Amino acid sequence: MRRVVILGASGSIGQQALSILSARPEAYKLIGVSVHRQVEKLLPWLDRLRPEWVAITDSQTLARYCQEGFPYPLIDTQQLYEKLAHETVDVILNGIIGAAGFWASWYALQNPSARLALANKESLVFGGEWLASYRERIIPVDSEHSALFQCLQGERIEDVEKLILTASGGPFRGKTRAELARVTPEAALAHPVWRMGARITVDSATLMNKALELIEAYWLFGLAAESIEVWVHPQCIVHSVVLFRDGSMKAQLSAPDMRLPILYALSYPYRESATEGRWLPFSNGSMLSFEPVDEETFPTLRYAREALRLGGAAPALLNATDEVAVEAFLRGEIGFLDIFHWLEWCLTQPEMAEKPESPQALAVIEEAFRKKIRRHFLRATDAG
Ligand code: MG
């Protein structure tokens, strides 16, 4: 019986993980679970999965549930970090959304008994420098990185020439810059294949999601940024490809269903029977195609390579800028192309050269930078 903690249980990954656990009560025991604010999304699972504790990381929401009474022991963020670092568990799944997820990964990796099933890509984008030394205990859940991780089982990283991340191309593949200028939040939220949260869906439309995944792959596998490529593959069946130095390629194929990489990370190094998301290669629409990324229209991959070249705080600040820009876009305050303008602006700022010595120091720089972004762009918008 594997002892599991699920973080970010109200999000898309968290909810799918809860469904996997509830379908396999003989294999997994839910020890603890965290949500930020949306406690109601957790309630339907509790009686079936009976966790030992529930963390609510938004203090006002926690206070309200403490007052009303809750059927399971409640803990706050600090107590959660204690549990992550010390509880005897086998797998901690981090499905938290955004840079806030870094700290959960950080504490989980202090725990020698636990493996970190990592779905929060910002953990590595924000603090890859500090997490990379624990990489042998990280099992990636992002579908592309899970694919690379699976292809690399039994291989030596020295034998790898290139890692190739596949990208759906998002809802605006083939569009010109001029067409992108008129894009609405509703159009950006209509992803052709994957169903995900709002931010990651907009990030897929700008290809910023793939840019963050490039940074994630850099820290997970320890290859140079130039050795990580991106191919557009609209069917989302080949989840990534490894090219070895003898010219041989290995790819991982499956239906575009996040339950599969989640299950692999929970069951690793073994595999479990699953009926979820089977791909039938001889059904209609089984053609697989690949094409290069249009980096003129979608320059975000270039931003990621530049941030990795700068090192230090740069990847974290690029991510912070994207988080703030996507929020502003979803609120209708800025246009789609403004997201690219903000990211380009970010790369020219003096803070990009900062080399913080600890994640705590980076967090201070990052928080100040978020304020600077809002001051620079949103106040200017108000005034204009
Ligand atoms: Mg992905």
Side-chain angles (χ1 to χ4, degrees):
M1 181 84 92
R2 288 211 162 166
R3 295 165 58 85
V4 178
V5 170
I6 295 181
L7 306 174
S10 60
S12 163
I13 296 288
Q15 292 280 302
Q16 294 180 79
L18 291 171
S19 82
I20 287 173
L21 261 55
S22 78
R24 294 169 176 80
E26 69 300 336
Y28 299 102
K29 162 83 184 114
L30 183 67
I31 301 301
V33 66
S34 88
V35 284
H36 187 55
R37 236 181 249 126
Q38 292 176 283
V39 182
E40 65 285 357
K41 287 205 173 172
L42 185 58
L43 298 177
W45 302 98
L46 287 177
D47 284 342
R48 182 116 50 110
L49 295 172
R50 305 189 152 276
E52 291 172 11
W53 46 264
V54 172
I56 300 178
T57 52
D58 177 66
S59 52
Q60 284 182 354
T61 310
L62 175 64
R64 200 175 74 233
Y65 278 96
C66 283
Q67 222 167 33
E68 286 173 7
F70 199 77
Y72 293 86
L74 288 176
I75 61 174
D76 66 14
T77 308
Q78 277 315 314
Q79 292 166 315
L80 170 65
Y81 291 160
E82 279 290 302
K83 293 273 191 200
L84 295 180
H86 301 294
E87 185 97 70
T88 305
V89 290
D90 299 294
V91 189
I92 297 172
L93 173 75
N94 185 351
I96 294 171
I97 294 162
F102 168 82
W103 294 103
S105 293
W106 172 254
Y107 286 101
L109 288 170
Q110 310 305 311
N111 185 335
S113 79
R115 269 202 306 265
L116 174 65
L118 185 60
N120 172 260
K121 62 186 61 146
E122 292 86 350
S123 289
L124 288 163
V125 174
F126 176 90
E129 198 178 329
W130 296 285
L131 299 187
S133 50
Y134 304 95
R135 65 164 71 101
E136 73 283 359
R137 279 201 282 119
I138 304 177
I139 315 298
V141 174
D142 209 346
S143 61
E144 296 78 3
H145 306 76
S146 173
L148 294 171
F149 184 86
Q150 293 182 51
C151 292
L152 288 168
Q153 294 302 303
E155 304 284 358
R156 300 185 314 168
I157 201 75
E158 307 89 278
D159 293 336
V160 173
E161 190 169 309
K162 273 201 166 119
L163 300 175
I164 298 138
L165 297 164
T166 52
S168 70
F172 307 134
R173 183 171 63 95
K175 286 216 188 316
T176 62
R177 246 359 227 190
E179 289 168 322
L180 289 183
R182 294 188 294 273
V183 155
T184 61
E186 292 70 34
L189 288 176
H191 193 278
V193 181
W194 294 101
R195 255 181 291 130
M196 309 169 287
R199 185 206 170 198
I200 187 170
T201 306
V202 175
D203 279 347
S204 298
T206 58
L207 294 201
M208 189 59 190
N209 182 49
K210 213 48 60 176
L212 297 175
E213 287 180 355
L214 194 154
I215 298 173
E216 188 185 3
Y218 172 87
W219 290 115
L220 273 174
F221 302 108
L223 253 77
E226 299 71 48
S227 305
I228 308 169
E229 264 183 35
V230 177
W231 293 352
V232 173
H233 167 55
Q235 298 83 16
C236 301
I237 297 295
V238 174
H239 295 297
S240 275
V241 181
V242 178
L243 166 65
F244 294 93
R245 59 180 174 179
D246 60 359
S248 188
M249 288 182 170
K250 273 167 103 175
Q252 185 265 334
L253 288 76
S254 59
D257 186 323
M258 282 310 294
R259 289 174 297 180
L260 299 174
I262 295 169
L263 180 61
Y264 182 78
L266 293 173
S267 66
Y268 174 84
Y270 311 112
R271 291 187 185 265
E272 265 185 50
S273 301
T275 50
E276 292 97 336
R278 294 259 161 171
W279 177 59
L280 299 168
F282 305 113
S283 61
N284 278 344
S286 62
M287 281 281 287
L288 302 180
S289 66
F290 302 90
E291 58 191 75
V293 176
D294 173 3
E295 291 204 28
E296 283 301 305
T297 312
F298 299 97
T300 32
L301 296 178
R302 204 173 66 228
Y303 304 158
R305 292 200 183 92
E306 175 63 7
L308 282 174
R309 192 187 64 76
L310 291 165
L317 300 185
L318 183 71
N319 176 66
T321 307
D322 182 64
E323 280 192 17
V324 181
V326 170
E327 281 163 23
F329 170 71
L330 289 172
R331 286 195 305 263
E333 293 169 3
I334 64 170
F336 187 74
L337 287 180
D338 291 326
I339 301 174
F340 298 113
H341 297 153
W342 287 34
L343 294 168
E344 265 156 43
W345 167 87
C346 155
L347 287 170
T348 65
Q349 297 306 298
E351 290 88 341
M352 295 301 271
E354 299 253 22
K355 303 279 182 280
E357 275 171 13
S358 64
Q360 288 81 0
L362 174 57
V364 172
I365 297 169
E366 197 233 34
E367 197 41 50
F369 196 71
R370 281 172 193 263
K371 291 202 180 96
K372 177 176 165 176
I373 302 165
R374 292 192 187 98
R375 242 187 356 256
H376 183 81
F377 289 104
L378 298 177
R379 291 237 177 108
T381 307
D382 290 348

